[in-house]
Amino acid sequence: MRFTPEELEAARDRVVPDVVASDLRVLFCGINPGLMTAVTGHHFARPGNRFWPVLHAAGFTPRQLRPAEQGELLDHGLGITNVVARPTARADELTAQEYREGGRLLAEKVARLRPRWLAVAGVTAYRVAFDDKHAAIGPQERTLGATRIWALPNPSGLNAHWTLTTMAEEYGRLRAAAFAES
């Protein structure tokens, strides 16, 4: 589906609903909605974003879901939210203050929903939102109540440091940890 630049720009004030429920195994957390996500209302909707292929390749879903099928994640004990709710064309349009406030609001959401794992898809976003300058990809020492945190590579097609295969391996490590628990 293609949208005009005007349609994308008009989406900057839209709110993209979370896909959440209480007691999820993993609550995935993007940086913020892109304009394509804001237009469609579906998380990780931009063609070229690798979230949906990586999720399947890592074994979280039995088949590759399309963004419009995001509600099916709940059937697998998974959900999606964002650090910052404001849609932008690029994550570098966000301010450090927006990340910090997003981290505060995310901590409140996690306290309410109680997922086993919060998986932040973007280690830089995690570092700023939670003031943890030394965080690296993988499980974090910090917890939010009983919720453990895992920093994942950002699945954006712009993140050339990570291939589909290496991302699927890292997401697979999270899956093994999240589903090894009773």
Side-chain angles (χ1 to χ4, degrees):
M1 191 176 253
R2 298 189 60 84
F3 297 97
T4 66
E6 294 78 21
E7 289 171 315
L8 292 171
E9 281 302 311
R12 286 185 181 269
D13 61 353
R14 295 205 182 139
V15 174
V16 179
D18 291 339
V19 178
V20 296
S22 295
D23 303 313
L24 295 168
R25 284 193 182 262
V26 180
L27 177 58
F28 288 96
C29 183
I31 296 170
N32 76 308
L35 297 181
M36 182 76 68
T37 288
V39 167
T40 64
H42 303 127
H43 293 269
F44 300 104
R46 184 175 184 80
N49 188 295
R50 299 171 289 180
F51 178 77
W52 299 103
V54 165
L55 211 62
H56 172 62
F60 278 106
T61 58
R63 65 179 178 81
Q64 184 177 321
L65 299 177
R66 296 184 318 275
E69 298 173 308
Q70 65 188 11
E72 292 183 31
L73 290 176
L74 297 173
D75 297 336
H76 303 289
L78 309 172
I80 305 177
T81 190
N82 287 290
V83 175
V84 176
R86 181 171 72 92
T88 61
R90 296 178 323 276
D92 65 7
E93 295 176 42
L94 300 173
T95 67
Q97 178 59 34
E98 284 178 293
Y99 278 111
R100 286 190 295 273
E101 178 64 9
R104 186 187 69 75
L105 295 172
L106 182 58
E108 290 177 1
K109 188 178 298 183
V110 165
R112 188 175 68 254
L113 297 172
R114 301 173 323 277
R116 292 183 189 162
W117 286 91
L118 173 66
V120 181
V123 69
T124 303
Y126 172 78
R127 288 175 184 151
V128 178
F130 291 98
D131 194 29
D132 186 350
K133 294 173 183 55
H134 303 291
I137 296 293
Q140 305 303 303
E141 287 188 29
R142 172 191 302 251
T143 61
L144 295 173
T147 299
R148 306 240 3 240
I149 302 171
W150 197 294
L152 290 168
N154 183 338
S156 167
L158 300 175
N159 184 2
H161 297 307
W162 289 82
T163 66
L164 184 70
T165 300
T166 58
M167 258 194 275
E169 288 169 0
E170 186 60 31
Y171 280 58
R173 288 181 56 218
L174 166 61
R175 184 190 174 282
F179 286 84
E181 303 163 351
S182 56

